[in-house]
Amino acid sequence: MSTGFVDLHTHSTASDGTFAPDAVAVLAKQSGLVGFALTDHDTIDGLEDAERAAHEHRLEFVPGVELSCQFPHPGTLHLLAYCIDPQSSRLRDVLHRLIEARDARNPQMIRRLNELGVAITMKEVEDAAGGEVVGRPHMAAVLLRKGYASSVKDAFNKYLGQGAAAYVEKERLSPREAIEAVLAAGGIPTLAHPVQLRTENDAQLERVVKDLIDLGLQGIEVIHSDHDAADVERCTKLAARFNLLKTGGSDFHGINKKEIQLGLANGRRIPRQFMDDLLARNHEPARTANG
Ligand code: AMP
Ligand code: ZN
Ligand code: FE
Ligand code: FE
C-alpha cells in the first residue's frame, strides 16, 4: 500500500489557471503532495515545464490534458487524458482544431459584448490569457477588472454562460473523436467530474458511462471538488462494476476559482494509489491503439 496524497486534476496559465506550470509543482510540494497531474484544457504546452519542476521537487508527475466533448445541454462531458505522448501527431491535430475553434468563437463573443455596450477588446482578453488557450474565464477576468461584473460567477450569469447574452457555441469533439485521439497518443481516457453530466438518475449515468467504455474509456473521476459524499460513492461503485481506474483531483485553477485549494476536493484528499494505478496501467504492454 502506498501512502501520501496527490492531485490529478489541475490547470495552469497554459489554459485558464493563474499559476504557471512550474508554480503548480512548487505549490504541490508546499501542499505536501507526493505527485500531481497537469490537465490544462485543450493544450499540452505546460507539460514540459511542469514535469521539469516536478522532478526538481521530487514529485511524481503525470502528463495530462482535459477535453470538452459534445453532450446535451445542460450537461457537460469532459474527458481527462493521462500519460499521453506529447509528440503524437494525432493528438496534436485534435488540439490544433480545438484552438482554431476557440479562435473562431472568441471574436464573436467580443462582438456581442460590444453590442451590449461592454467596452472589451480581443487584445485585452488575449493579454489576460497569456497562452494559446483563450476562453471565457479570461473574458470574465477582464469584465471583473473593468467593473462590468462583480464576480466570475456574475460575469457568467450576465454575459458568458451557456444561454447568457454574449454566449456563442464553440465546436466540440465528439466523445468518439476525443477518446480515439487519446488512445492513439498512448493515453488513458477517463471521465472527468461525472456529476457535471447532470444525468437524471443512476440508470442514465450508467448508460452514459457504458457507452463511453465501448469507445475506450478506462477510468472515472471519483473524487472532485463538485462531488459530495453520495457522488463519490456512486462513482466508486461504477468504477468497481465496470473495472475502471479511479482518479481524483481538485480542478485547481489558482485565483480564478479561489475557493478550490490544490490537493483538496470538497474536503477530501486524493490517495496516492489512484496515481500509482494510472502509472501501472500506463506501463502495461499492448494497450496503445493504432497511430
Ligand atoms: P471555455 O473553454 O472558453 O468555453 O470556458 C470554459 C471554462 O469556463 C470552464 O473550464 C470553467 O472553468 C469556466 N466556466 C464555465 N461555466 C462557468 C460558470 N457558470 N461560472 C464560472 N466558471 C465557468
Ligand atoms: Zn478551466
Ligand atoms: Fe472540466
Ligand atoms: Fe478542469
Side-chain angles (χ1 to χ4, degrees):
M1 248 336 248
S2 59
T3 57
F5 297 97
V6 300
D7 194 329
L8 299 174
H9 190 159
T10 71
H11 297 271
S12 75
T13 47
S15 65
D16 58 355
T18 61
F19 282 60
D22 54 351
V24 177
V26 171
L27 186 62
K29 187 70 184 181
Q30 288 168 347
S31 306
L33 303 181
V34 298
F36 75 104
L38 187 70
T39 55
D40 275 308
H41 305 277
D42 301 350
T43 186
I44 53 176
D45 276 0
L47 296 182
E48 217 179 285
D49 282 358
E51 175 156 36
R52 191 183 318 111
H55 290 158
E56 272 168 26
H57 295 280
R58 294 172 204 283
L59 295 165
E60 283 279 0
F61 180 73
V62 182
V65 67
E66 184 172 18
L67 304 171
S68 309
C69 298
Q70 297 158 9
F71 197 71
H73 183 74
T76 57
L77 196 175
H78 292 179
L79 282 180
L80 282 167
Y82 293 109
C83 306
I84 36 165
D85 170 11
Q87 304 304 330
S88 160
S89 58
R90 179 85 174 272
L91 181 67
R92 283 176 172 274
D93 283 352
V94 158
L95 297 178
H96 182 69
R97 254 180 66 201
L98 294 175
I99 300 299
E100 285 187 327
R102 288 180 177 280
D103 292 346
R105 174 234 234 165
N106 289 330
Q108 296 182 51
M109 287 192 65
I110 299 301
R111 197 175 322 125
R112 289 214 184 169
L113 284 165
N114 294 159
E115 284 163 8
L116 292 163
V118 175
I120 182 174
T121 66
M122 198 55 226
K123 169 88 168 64
E124 288 169 326
V125 177
E126 282 166 354
D127 287 348
E132 65 171 357
V133 177
V134 184
R136 291 180 289 159
H138 308 113
M139 296 177 198
V142 176
L143 294 179
L144 209 60
R145 175 166 59 74
K146 296 183 114 180
Y148 288 106
S150 59
S151 66
V152 172
K153 198 180 161 65
D154 184 44
F156 272 85
N157 287 341
K158 280 211 283 230
Y159 298 112
L160 308 174
Q162 219 165 5
Y167 182 76
V168 174
E169 272 300 326
K170 175 176 82 204
E171 189 201 327
R172 286 166 200 269
L173 301 170
S174 70
R176 179 188 299 275
E177 286 172 303
I179 288 174
E180 285 181 354
V182 172
L183 291 174
I188 302 172
T190 71
L191 175 62
H193 41 62
V195 74
Q196 289 186 19
L197 295 166
R198 300 235 223 152
T199 46
E200 276 164 20
N201 51 50
D202 286 1
Q204 205 188 343
L205 173 62
E206 187 175 318
R207 198 161 338 111
V208 172
V209 169
K210 274 182 84 169
D211 287 346
L212 292 171
I213 290 171
D214 288 342
L215 297 173
L217 190 80
Q218 297 180 15
I220 183 168
E221 194 168 49
V222 165
I223 300 176
H224 182 270
S225 293
D226 289 348
H227 283 192
D228 63 20
D231 298 320
V232 174
E233 194 191 329
R234 193 173 291 122
C235 294
T236 302
K237 280 186 176 160
L238 275 175
R241 161 118 44 99
F242 295 115
N243 195 24
L244 291 167
L245 291 162
K246 287 181 289 189
T247 76
S250 63
D251 214 345
F252 177 71
H253 279 75
I255 60 165
N256 277 347
K257 289 188 186 167
K258 47 184 175 299
E259 66 286 359
I260 296 179
Q261 225 180 299
L262 189 73
L264 213 54
N266 193 14
R268 284 179 188 75
R269 295 196 288 180
I270 297 97
R272 176 189 188 142
Q273 192 68 47
F274 286 11
M275 180 185 69
D276 289 348
D277 291 346
L278 266 183
L279 294 173
R281 174 72 61 96
N282 185 42
H283 292 119
E284 281 172 17
R287 182 178 49 81
T288 309
N290 56 313

